[in-house]
Amino acid sequence: MKFKAKSHPYLQLIKRNFSGFVLCLIMMVITHSGFAQQWESQFVKIQSNGRLKYIADKNKNIIPDFSRVGYHQNDKVIPDVKTVIVLSATGDHDQEKIQQAIDDLAKKQPDENGIRGAVLLKKGTYKIPGSLKIATGGIVLRGEGDETKLIASGKGKRKTIMASGSGRANEISGSRIKITDHYVPVGTKSFTVASSKGLKVGDQIMIYRPGTTKWIQDLKMDQIEPGTGTIQWTPADYNLEFERVITSIQGDKITIDNPIVMAMEDQYGGGEIYKYTFEGRIAEVGIENLYLESEYKGDTDEEHGWDAISFNKIENSWIKNVTSRYFGYSCVNLGHDSKQITVMDSKCLAPKSQIIGGRRYSFNNDGQLNLFMGCYASEGRHDYVTGAKVCGPNVFYNCKSENAKADIGPHHRWAMGTLYDNIITDGEINIQDRGNWGTGHGWSGVNQVLWNCTAAKAAVQNPYVSGKNYAIGLKAKKYNGRLKGRPDGIWEGQNKAGLNPQSLYLKQVEESKK
């Protein structure tokens, strides 16, 4: 299979920005597959014309298209933003000087693409005793690679770089419309509403899937075995909202930009749509070419830098070529209101904390339509991970984990529609009922796809209702997971080389550009 990178801007981006590690990984996969007999999944096949064909189940559910995640849904290449301000490390109030440069740039009028410019930090060591805050869009904070060192100095848990807007998504009054289809399957981008009056192509809509008592009962999430602080699931906590854009309207049938990643069923309350605004959300923020390190007192010290980089209330932004070392929680932490973020070619190294819950989530994603690719983590607990009620699609692609202390995968309550593609770990990858772990995590995820991944061992289970989880071409020892008696997930081609396509994500991106 050949990718015509010249005609696909996003594939050019991948080729141009991948670290040496990821390029070596791809070459190893390609070389190895040359000696293995190729095979195809029964769920995603390659037709004679070279395009993918998705095989539906009896309810017309298919594996979703994950191609339109990350910065501007792959429609734009991450820009090379012009440097406007240049700073050098002096050891004299470095944090205040960097913050002032950010604040000064925020006053500059953005260009037609929403870009204000970049602050360049020259090689050197910058002490950051608090947090650097970016609250305005169009600002890039850039270094000169690992020799531009930001040191989270002193005591106290904190985020070293914080990029966040304000406010929240607000429903436009009177815009809520009922979805009339009795069943909206996973993977579809079209459905019928009671009326398309008042809707137009380009509208931002929220797809609303209510939590209901019957759904929770059928999932048995009102029967979690009690533990320390266990909370049974309640309907009000599981009203799910997926951000989408209308791309076509034909009568009362609308088409959206990204697929449904959790089926909507009459028996569980169906679904609705409504238009919304998010006035305070910012965009076009970049963090590039930086090394971040936290001071610490000992291997289990927790009063020091916690997140190297934190994003929230932000969209169409990026983090690339950053390295974190000695932070207690993460290199990158994307909050619930982070959308269409690309995190690439970044490393999370040698975290310092206790090795227990709530620590060492190397690359954490709680938002939607986000992409992590070409990343590396060592000594983390949950290196490529989603949190509670994470509304997909989301993608982790071509990432590696070493010296893992726990597992990769959906970690908390009910993540929906995540692709783990060519992920390699010496730890576990699990998609399971977590039972009373935490405060009663229960089912961690649904419509999760492991594609051509490698792990020491894995548990992949299907929830009782609402979808499936897939292990396709997974090279790992299969085990039962934490709790017995749960339905087995979909396993196909376990420990079998030669899966075609080698990367579902890259193939989907290629097709999206045609």
Side-chain angles (χ1 to χ4, degrees):
M1 179 175 58
K2 296 180 180 179
F3 296 107
K4 298 179 180 179
K6 290 184 178 180
S7 61
H8 304 322
Y10 195 67
L11 292 177
Q12 289 182 34
L13 168 68
I14 293 173
K15 182 177 180 181
R16 184 168 66 245
N17 289 287
F18 262 11
S19 65
F21 157 71
V22 178
L23 288 173
C24 289
L25 173 62
I26 292 172
M27 292 305 298
M28 288 172 63
V29 171
I30 292 172
T31 301
H32 179 71
S33 68
F35 296 98
Q37 183 175 355
Q38 288 195 334
W39 60 278
E40 296 178 0
S41 169
Q42 62 180 306
F43 304 101
V44 185
K45 295 186 175 295
I46 298 180
Q47 303 175 89
S48 58
N49 63 3
R51 295 187 65 85
L52 296 175
K53 180 179 181 181
Y54 300 89
I55 310 303
D57 67 12
K58 63 180 181 180
N59 291 319
K60 299 184 179 180
N61 298 297
I62 59 172
I63 288 179
D65 176 9
F66 292 94
S67 66
R68 297 184 62 80
V69 299
Y71 181 74
H72 282 283
Q73 299 190 9
N74 297 340
D75 288 336
K76 292 184 178 181
V77 172
I78 292 173
D80 184 7
V81 175
K82 181 180 178 180
T83 296
V84 176
I85 300 173
V86 179
L87 296 177
S88 296
T90 65
D92 181 24
H93 299 288
D94 286 328
Q95 176 180 316
E96 289 85 346
K97 291 176 182 177
I98 297 170
Q99 188 63 59
Q100 187 61 57
I102 291 170
D103 294 345
D104 288 345
L105 197 51
K107 299 172 185 176
K108 185 176 183 291
Q109 189 69 21
D111 66 15
E112 65 276 10
N113 296 312
I115 301 293
R116 288 180 165 85
V119 175
L120 174 63
L121 305 181
K122 300 290 287 183
K123 296 175 183 178
T125 299
Y126 302 77
K127 291 289 186 78
I128 312 295
S131 299
L132 297 171
K133 299 178 181 179
I134 300 174
T136 304
I139 295 174
V140 173
L141 184 62
R142 176 186 296 142
E144 293 186 321
D146 286 352
E147 293 183 78
T148 298
K149 300 179 179 181
L150 302 187
I151 306 298
S153 58
K155 290 185 176 182
K157 289 182 181 179
R158 62 198 181 277
K159 307 172 190 297
T160 298
I161 299 175
M162 299 172 58
S164 179
S166 61
R168 59 185 178 85
N170 290 303
E171 180 176 352
I172 295 176
S173 179
S175 68
R176 190 171 288 239
I177 306 169
K178 179 72 175 175
I179 295 173
T180 57
D181 296 316
H182 298 301
Y183 187 96
V184 182
V186 173
T188 189
K189 294 181 182 178
S190 298
F191 49 83
T192 306
V193 294
S195 172
S196 62
K197 185 178 179 180
L199 299 176
K200 66 181 185 300
V201 171
D203 278 345
Q204 291 188 106
I205 60 168
M206 203 74 76
I207 298 177
Y208 175 84
R209 192 270 185 197
T212 65
T213 299
K214 177 174 171 51
W215 176 67
I216 290 173
Q217 290 173 342
D218 288 352
L219 272 180
K220 303 183 182 180
M221 289 295 94
D222 58 344
Q223 305 170 35
I224 302 171
E225 182 178 345
T228 303
T230 300
I231 301 171
Q232 306 295 331
W233 290 18
T234 58
D237 288 333
Y238 288 85
N239 295 325
L240 305 170
E241 296 173 311
F242 305 82
E243 296 190 61
R244 299 292 187 265
V245 175
I246 295 176
T247 60
S248 174
I249 301 174
Q250 295 180 321
D252 291 328
K253 183 178 182 179
I254 68 170
T255 300
I256 52 178
D257 58 335
N258 269 283
I260 297 296
V261 292
M262 180 180 171
M264 287 175 284
E265 310 172 60
D266 277 354
Q267 65 170 327
Y268 298 133
E272 298 172 316
I273 66 169
Y274 61 83
K275 293 191 286 185
Y276 72 99
T277 59
F278 200 142
E279 298 297 338
R281 187 183 251 165
I282 61 175
E284 306 298 339
V285 173
I287 310 296
E288 305 175 352
N289 307 327
L290 291 171
Y291 174 92
L292 298 98
E293 181 178 302
S294 176
E295 293 181 349
Y296 66 98
K297 295 296 185 181
D299 286 346
T300 59
D301 177 26
E302 298 193 341
E303 286 301 317
H304 64 96
W306 211 238
D307 291 300
I309 301 170
S310 172
F311 274 17
N312 201 19
K313 303 179 188 296
I314 187 170
E315 65 182 344
N316 293 322
S317 297
W318 66 92
I319 298 164
K320 67 176 184 177
N321 300 321
V322 301
T323 298
S324 73
R325 191 184 297 269
Y326 306 143
F327 286 81
Y329 191 82
S330 76
C331 174
V332 175
N333 189 354
L334 301 185
H336 176 269
D337 291 321
S338 299
K339 183 182 80 166
Q340 293 169 200
I341 310 298
T342 292
V343 180
M344 62 190 302
D345 293 343
S346 296
K347 300 174 183 177
C348 186
L349 307 177
K352 298 299 178 182
S353 71
Q354 298 180 70
I355 305 176
I356 58 176
R359 284 91 168 158
R360 304 191 185 203
Y361 290 53
S362 306
F363 294 93
N364 182 72
N365 176 43
D366 291 337
Q368 52 187 295
L369 298 164
N370 295 324
L371 169 66
F372 292 73
M373 66 180 187
C375 295
Y376 174 83
S378 68
E379 300 180 49
R381 293 184 62 251
H382 304 295
D383 289 318
Y384 307 106
V385 62
T386 53
K389 295 166 281 188
V390 177
C391 297
N394 290 291
V395 173
F396 294 95
Y397 165 67
N398 264 338
C399 298
K400 188 174 183 179
S401 162
E402 291 185 320
N403 300 316
K405 309 303 181 185
D407 60 354
I408 286 168
H411 171 67
H412 215 286
R413 299 166 168 82
W414 205 250
M416 295 149 282
T418 314
L419 173 64
Y420 298 83
D421 187 322
N422 282 273
I423 304 302
I424 296 176
T425 180
D426 55 12
E428 301 176 16
I429 299 179
N430 294 319
I431 309 167
Q432 62 178 331
D433 182 353
R434 295 176 54 82
N436 60 17
W437 277 346
T439 54
H441 289 174
W443 283 108
S444 61
V446 69
N447 302 315
Q448 309 286 292
V449 181
L450 306 181
W451 188 277
N452 216 14
C453 295
T454 301
K457 65 177 184 177
V460 179
Q461 302 170 344
N462 281 341
Y464 298 112
V465 296
S466 291
K468 302 171 184 175
N469 292 311
Y470 300 83
I472 300 174
L474 174 62
K475 301 168 187 67
K477 178 182 177 181
K478 182 180 180 180
Y479 81 110
N480 292 328
R482 185 189 181 207
L483 300 173
K484 296 180 180 179
R486 273 47 178 179
D488 202 13
I490 306 298
W491 288 75
E492 184 184 27
Q494 182 187 2
N495 295 319
K496 185 177 180 181
L499 176 58
N500 188 26
Q502 295 168 7
S503 166
L504 177 62
Y505 173 68
L506 275 190
K507 180 62 175 172
Q508 289 179 330
V509 169
E510 178 197 23
E511 292 196 357
S512 74
K513 302 301 179 184
K514 291 182 178 179

